[in-house]
Amino acid sequence: MSTGKARVGWIGLLVIVALGINLRPILTSIGPLLAEIRQATGLGFQGASLLTVLPVLCMGLFALALPWVGPRLGESRGMLGGLLAIAVACAWRLLLDSGLALIASAVLAGTGVAIIQALVPGVVKRWFPQRVPAAMGLYSASLMAGGGTAAVLAPVLAGGSGHWQLGLGAWVALAVLGLLLWALARPREAAVPSVARRGEHFFGSRRAWLLALYFGLINGGYTSMVAWLPMFYRQLGWSAQGSGQLIGLMTIFQVLGALSMPALSRGSADRRPWLCLCLLIQLGGFAGLLLTPLGLPAAWVALIGYGLGACFALSLTLTLDHLAEPGPAGSLAAFVQGIGFIITGIIPYVTGWLRDATGSFQASWTLLALSVLLMLGVTLRFAPAGYARAMHGWRGAQTAEVAR
């Protein structure tokens, strides 16, 4: 490797996995314990939705601020600070007993998650320039695996101890492990580039806004599933553990989707056929929830999970495909995640409002199915031959990647 480059092998992949696995337990541990949390704190459905909405909004707002905050923060300090915020928030959750404190811990943890996931795409593009789809797939799979593990184990930990707080706070151990791996084991570089050039942004790029809208809507199903799927089935008579296991099943198929679809599509620069396939798979799952939720619940959840996992990995890879240089590509990914996560964070609030307004989750699932149909149409816009033209003229423009 050339001077200044890290010697990235399996240890680099391990660090990426350790980062990813910390980014969802703060969200997914809530749903299976929502009945207990609401009973103990008095939170309503819309108040409880803030436990998902606020962290996701934090993810979006920090990513948008990256061009201004990033050069001052630095990549290493940013990663360490993000992991520390997650660790402190989880430790706090072991002790809290009020809805306000729980919401505040969600904001703190969400800020930590925001910092890390705004920085990861640039790290992946730099460490694995020839293996971006595979590395992004592994990162996405680890992110989802962490979320699914928390959803399954949270009610087990809470039931075994008699304290719902343990189900929310035990994930401090993962954050501490991530801190140690980033501090001690990450691949070293002679000179780490700035995480973003000061003032470099994509607010004037129509393609960047389209990618952001696409990312936000395509992932809105995930936050809604995490927030409301366990409660939906608990209202149908399921236990906390059984409803949490549905999130675990969804996660297994998310991981399969995140790993398999980037691998299957790696020989093609055109992500559109694969994205359309995965959106149709999601649509089948939402149709099942609407028409016969108790008929084949495992099948519907598996379809939704596979489609969501594959779409998350492919949509991030699609974003990185638009620019060849790691720095600008990372900045574009930060912008897309910034706007996208704000949209993604609003969706469970809207679906929660629909549940309150109608007394049923059917309207919520209908909205998600309609958003999938909309994204099928948008997917057709992303022809690889048009990447250079679509990115022409953005502020601080770099050479766009043109599909061969």
Side-chain angles (χ1 to χ4, degrees):
M1 289 190 182
S2 60
T3 304
K5 293 290 186 182
R7 294 185 176 277
V8 181
W10 68 268
I11 195 68
L13 292 174
L14 180 62
V15 171
I16 294 297
V17 168
L19 293 172
I21 209 167
N22 274 285
L23 302 185
R24 291 298 178 267
I26 64 152
L27 298 177
T28 58
S29 58
I30 295 288
L33 299 175
L34 192 54
E36 289 79 7
I37 292 169
R38 291 183 64 226
Q39 183 178 5
T41 63
L43 287 173
F45 279 105
Q46 284 183 280
S49 72
L50 294 176
L51 300 175
T52 300
V53 171
L54 290 178
V56 178
L57 289 179
C58 287
M59 298 175 199
L61 293 172
F62 180 85
L64 290 179
L66 189 65
W68 296 274
V69 177
R72 297 180 177 90
L73 185 64
E75 183 179 276
S76 182
R77 288 196 303 274
M79 292 294 193
L80 290 172
L83 288 164
L84 184 61
I86 295 171
V88 170
C90 289
W92 187 11
R93 286 182 168 186
L94 292 171
L95 305 172
L96 57 79
D97 59 1
S98 75
L100 183 60
L102 186 56
I103 290 171
S105 75
V107 173
L108 177 60
T111 302
V113 171
I115 294 170
I116 295 168
Q117 68 183 21
L119 298 176
V120 164
V123 173
V124 167
K125 184 85 169 180
R126 191 173 74 251
W127 284 2
F128 307 100
Q130 307 304 319
R131 294 180 291 164
V132 170
M136 286 306 300
L138 185 63
Y139 163 68
S140 302
S142 65
L143 183 149
M144 295 157 192
T149 300
V152 172
L153 294 184
V156 175
L157 293 170
S161 67
H163 298 284
W164 55 266
Q165 292 93 335
L166 182 61
L168 303 184
W171 318 110
V172 63
L174 291 178
V176 171
L177 176 62
L179 275 166
L180 292 173
L181 282 172
W182 180 264
L184 303 176
R186 76 180 187 276
R188 304 290 171 166
E189 296 162 281
V192 178
S194 173
V195 296
R197 293 181 179 87
R198 190 166 298 175
E200 175 185 89
H201 61 74
F202 292 84
F203 285 96
S205 169
R206 294 175 61 185
R207 174 52 60 93
W209 279 97
L210 183 62
L211 286 166
L213 174 68
Y214 187 75
F215 181 85
L217 290 179
I218 213 169
N219 290 296
Y222 174 76
T223 48
S224 292
M225 289 295 99
V226 167
W228 305 126
L229 184 67
M231 179 56 71
F232 175 57
Y233 276 98
R234 290 198 72 173
Q235 290 182 342
L236 294 176
W238 289 42
S239 67
Q241 190 167 343
S243 63
Q245 287 172 347
L246 280 179
I247 296 293
L249 177 66
M250 184 179 80
T251 299
I252 291 171
F253 281 88
Q254 279 183 292
V255 170
L256 290 174
L259 290 174
S260 63
M261 275 299 166
L264 289 171
S265 67
R266 65 183 176 183
S268 171
D270 193 347
R271 313 290 176 197
R272 292 176 298 173
W274 306 100
L275 281 162
C276 286
L277 173 61
C278 296
L279 285 166
L280 288 171
I281 290 171
Q282 274 190 63
L283 188 61
F286 286 123
L289 284 185
L290 274 167
L291 299 175
T292 175
L294 292 175
L296 292 169
W300 312 143
V301 170
L303 288 171
I304 292 169
Y306 190 90
L308 286 170
C311 284
F312 182 88
L314 288 173
S315 60
L316 274 180
T317 303
L318 172 73
T319 298
L320 293 174
D321 285 345
H322 274 71
L323 292 167
E325 293 297 318
S331 296
L332 175 61
F335 176 85
V336 166
Q337 289 185 93
I339 299 297
F341 275 120
I342 291 172
I343 296 169
T344 298
I346 291 170
I347 290 174
Y349 187 83
V350 173
T351 50
W353 174 81
L354 285 172
R355 164 61 181 79
D356 275 345
T358 64
S360 167
F361 280 108
Q362 297 302 93
S364 304
W365 307 149
T366 299
L367 177 65
L368 295 176
L370 290 174
S371 72
V372 171
L373 286 172
L374 176 63
M375 289 305 96
L376 278 168
V378 174
T379 301
L380 302 178
R381 298 282 303 275
F382 298 126
Y387 290 167
R389 182 175 65 255
M391 296 309 300
H392 176 74
W394 66 276
R395 184 174 176 177
Q398 304 290 321
T399 303
E401 183 175 32
V402 180
R404 290 177 173 83

